[in-house]
Amino acid sequence: MGDLAFPWKPNTEEIYVIGTGFKADKREGSVLRFTPILPCVGLTMETDHPYQKPEPLMRYLIARTEGPVIDPFMGSGTTGVACANLGRSFIGIEIERKYFDIACERIDQAQRQGRMFA
Ligand SMILES: C[S@@+](CC[C@H](N)C(=O)[O-])C[C@H]1O[C@@H](n2cnc3c(N)ncnc32)[C@H](O)[C@@H]1O
């Protein structure tokens, strides 16, 4: 998934899901394909963070886990938004105040919207 440096670098990114209870979907390979959040030529990049993950990707991964979710490098909080949409507990850690504030706002908004997915 993803695209860290459009258009010059490979369009894949490693993601580590650490914990117990991860249920991989055996019908799929280890490479998951999701529409990346891309800056388009002539358009402003509409993301809150330079390495922001697509929320559906985080939701896909989280839905295959159990228990509370911790993202120690929360960035702009996409993992927290996915947790809110799934009704899951979330702890986020972010060193940059700017991104921490954006994450709080995004997660708060998602929580106010309520659980969107079973
Ligand atoms: C790759 S970005 C995370 C992107 C995020 N998962 C998203 O989708 O929006 C990594 C983040 O880790 C933060 N970070 C780096 N070192 C950190 C540390 N020691 N403690 C907490 N956050 C840290 C950076 O400020 C950066 O926002």
Side-chain angles (χ1 to χ4, degrees):
M1 88 101 233
D3 197 320
L4 287 179
F6 174 82
W8 311 116
K9 294 208 174 145
N11 63 355
T12 58
E13 183 177 332
E14 286 184 27
I15 296 179
Y16 295 88
V17 181
I18 302 167
T20 58
F22 185 77
K23 299 181 196 81
D25 189 334
K26 291 197 171 72
R27 290 167 302 177
E28 299 171 2
S30 59
V31 177
L32 304 173
R33 297 180 193 285
F34 279 79
T35 304
I37 304 169
L38 283 179
C40 300
V41 176
L43 295 176
T44 307
M45 187 177 181
E46 291 183 12
T47 62
D48 297 309
H49 193 283
Y51 306 123
Q52 190 168 320
K53 313 287 182 299
E55 189 272 339
L57 167 61
M58 303 317 291
R59 199 171 354 107
Y60 173 92
L61 294 172
I62 291 162
R64 284 155 179 77
T65 67
E66 297 166 346
V69 174
I70 300 176
D71 186 347
F73 304 99
M74 171 170 67
S76 57
T78 305
T79 308
V81 171
C83 284
N85 288 337
L86 289 167
R88 296 282 296 275
S89 300
F90 175 71
I91 297 169
I93 302 166
E94 171 54 47
I95 201 168
E96 292 282 343
R97 182 78 209 198
K98 172 187 163 188
Y99 295 131
F100 180 81
D101 289 344
I102 291 171
C104 289
E105 176 60 34
R106 290 180 70 210
I107 295 166
D108 187 48
Q109 196 175 340
Q111 286 177 335
R112 272 186 268 121
Q113 196 169 356
R115 183 175 177 170
M116 293 182 70
F117 301 94

